Amino acid sequence: MRTSLRLGLVVMAAVLGGSEIASAQVPKIKLGYAKCAHCLPMSLVPGLARNVEVEATGFNSGNDVLTALVSKSIDVAQVTYLHYITALDKGFDVVAVSGQINGGSECLSSAKLSLLPEDWATFKTTVAKAKSDGQPLKVAASRGNAQDIHMRGAFLKQGVDPNKDIQFINIPNPSDHLAALQRGEVDMICSVEPFASQIRLAGAGKHFVLPYEQAAGNLTNLIVTRSDVIAGQRAGVQGVVSAVVELDNKLIADRAPWIEVINKLTGLDKNVATEALKNASPDPAIHRSQTLAIAAMMRDLKYISKDVAAEAEKNMDYSFLEQATGKSKNDLGY
C-alpha cells in the first residue's frame, strides 16, 4: 500500500509540474486599443485568442495607444494607418502586422451653416467669405487622429487649405465633440463613430460628408507591434493576429456582439451603436499601396517632415496574416 501511495504521489507531482511548465510557456501579450466604435471590438480579442494570454486595455485615443507601444508599456497596439506613418516619421520602431476595421469618420456641420450634405460648392463659398471677413470658419477634430487627417485630405482635394483657409480647433477627447457643436463653439466637426452618430441623432449637427475622397480612402485601423516583440514573442503576436482575423469574420457575419460592446464600454445606447456601424467595415488586410499614398498626403499636409515611403513598405510584415488566413500577401493588400 505504501509503495502504491508513493507511486501515486510521484505521478501526481509530475502531472502538476508539467502543467506549471506548460503554463509558464504560454506567451503573454499586453494589447492596447482606442475607444471608438471600430476599435472597441478589440476588447473581445482575449476571449478569441488561442495559445496566448492577452491582456487588453482601452485608451482614450490612438495617440495614447501609440505612446504606450513605443514606451514599451504594451506589446501590440490598435492604432491607425496615420499613426503608423507618424511613428515612422519620428523614427519609432513599429511594424504593421494586420488591419482590423475601416471607416468611422464623418464631418458634421452646425445648423447655422445651413449646409446641405455633400454641397462642397456652398461650403467653399462660405469658407472664402468667412476668411475675407476676418472670421474664418472654426472646424474641429481630435488632432492627429484618422478623422483629422481624413478631413484635411478631403478639404485639400476640394481646394480648401486646412492650414490657411479655416481656423482649426483641437478637441482631444471625441466624447466632447457633441457639447462643442451644441454650444456653438465650432461650425463643423469631423468626428469618429459612435460619437458622430451621437451628434447627428441628438440634433447637435447635420451630416455634411464622409471624408473618404482622399489618399487614405476609408482606411483607419491597423494592428502594429515592435520588432523586439516579434523577435521575442512571435507566437504571441501570431495569436493576436489570428484572433483579430477570427473577430473580423465573426463581426461580418453578426454585428450583435459589436453593438453590445459599444453599449457596454461607452454607455451610449444601442440605437447609437447600430447607427455607428453603418460607417464601419471589418478588414484585416494591410493595404500597401494606399499606405504609401497616405504617407505622401501627410507630407503634403505637413503632418510629417520627410518621405517615409521606404520605411512604411519595409515595416509591413504580412507573415502573421498569411499564417492566420492561409492566403498569400498578394491577396492580403500587398
Side-chain angles (χ1 to χ4, degrees):
M1 288 293 288
R2 288 182 178 178
T3 301
S4 298
L5 179 60
R6 280 198 298 270
L7 181 60
L9 290 173
V10 169
V11 170
M12 184 179 296
V15 170
L16 292 175
S19 299
E20 289 172 0
I21 292 171
S23 176
Q25 289 175 339
V26 173
K28 297 180 180 179
I29 293 290
K30 291 182 178 180
L31 169 70
Y33 62 92
K35 293 179 179 177
C36 62
H38 40 307
C39 312
L40 292 172
M42 291 297 292
S43 65
L44 303 175
V45 165
L48 296 171
R50 299 182 179 87
N51 302 319
V52 56
E53 184 179 321
V54 180
E55 176 186 341
T57 303
F59 292 78
N60 281 334
S61 71
N63 291 333
D64 295 337
V65 183
L66 180 61
T67 299
L69 179 70
V70 299
S71 65
K72 301 189 177 182
S73 297
I74 60 175
D75 308 305
V76 177
Q78 169 270 306
V79 292
T80 68
Y81 281 80
L82 311 144
H83 288 108
Y84 173 62
I85 297 299
T86 301
L88 293 174
D89 180 55
K90 293 179 178 178
F92 295 143
D93 173 18
V94 291
V95 182
V97 292
S98 174
Q100 187 237 348
I101 291 174
N102 295 319
S105 299
E106 182 176 7
C107 292
L108 304 113
S109 63
S110 67
K112 69 180 181 182
L113 285 187
S114 298
L115 197 59
L116 295 175
E118 319 289 336
D119 188 355
W120 283 107
T122 301
F123 176 68
K124 288 189 283 186
T125 301
T126 305
V127 167
K129 184 176 187 311
K131 184 181 178 183
S132 66
D133 291 344
Q135 295 181 322
L137 285 191
K138 295 178 180 178
V139 179
S142 299
R143 184 185 294 279
N145 70 5
Q147 292 66 46
D148 177 25
I149 308 295
H150 285 167
M151 175 269 289
R152 289 172 185 271
F155 279 18
L156 197 62
K157 190 167 183 179
Q158 292 291 332
V160 175
D161 189 331
N163 294 319
K164 297 177 180 176
D165 298 333
I166 61 169
Q167 180 183 351
F168 176 74
I169 307 293
N170 180 32
I171 303 177
N173 192 336
S175 65
D176 296 330
H177 287 182
L178 184 150
L181 202 55
Q182 212 162 32
R183 290 194 296 260
E185 295 171 358
V186 297
D187 302 298
M188 180 175 287
I189 274 183
C190 196
S191 194
V192 63
E193 295 291 2
F195 303 106
S197 288
Q198 180 194 26
I199 291 169
R200 194 165 7 85
L201 294 177
K206 300 191 304 179
H207 167 76
F208 173 52
V209 70
L210 301 181
Y212 300 143
E213 292 293 325
Q214 33 69 38
N218 75 335
L219 296 185
T220 47
N221 285 4
L222 199 60
I223 307 301
V224 299
T225 184
R226 302 185 309 272
S227 58
D228 66 289
V229 179
I230 291 176
Q233 296 261 50
R234 187 172 186 86
V237 175
Q238 183 63 61
V240 170
V241 172
S242 296
V244 169
V245 171
E246 184 177 349
L247 174 64
D248 277 7
N249 289 336
K250 287 180 178 294
L251 296 181
I252 290 170
D254 180 11
R255 298 203 163 195
W258 199 347
I259 293 169
E260 291 287 342
V261 79
I262 292 172
N263 174 244
K264 178 182 176 182
L265 297 182
T266 68
L268 297 176
D269 66 43
K270 293 183 179 180
N271 289 334
V272 173
T274 302
E275 186 72 12
L277 297 193
K278 295 177 182 176
N279 185 13
S281 53
D283 179 11
I286 305 172
H287 296 274
R288 182 180 63 86
S289 61
Q290 284 174 277
T291 303
L292 302 182
I294 291 169
M297 179 181 73
M298 291 179 69
R299 191 180 181 195
D300 290 342
L301 289 166
K302 304 189 186 310
Y303 251 69
I304 58 175
S305 59
K306 61 180 184 290
D307 181 2
V308 298
E311 291 91 336
E313 191 160 14
K314 177 184 174 185
N315 286 27
M316 292 177 182
D317 188 337
Y318 283 83
S319 63
F320 300 98
L321 269 181
E322 288 180 315
Q323 183 169 331
T325 63
K327 298 178 180 177
S328 74
K329 64 181 183 181
N330 289 330
D331 296 322
L332 295 166
Y334 183 76

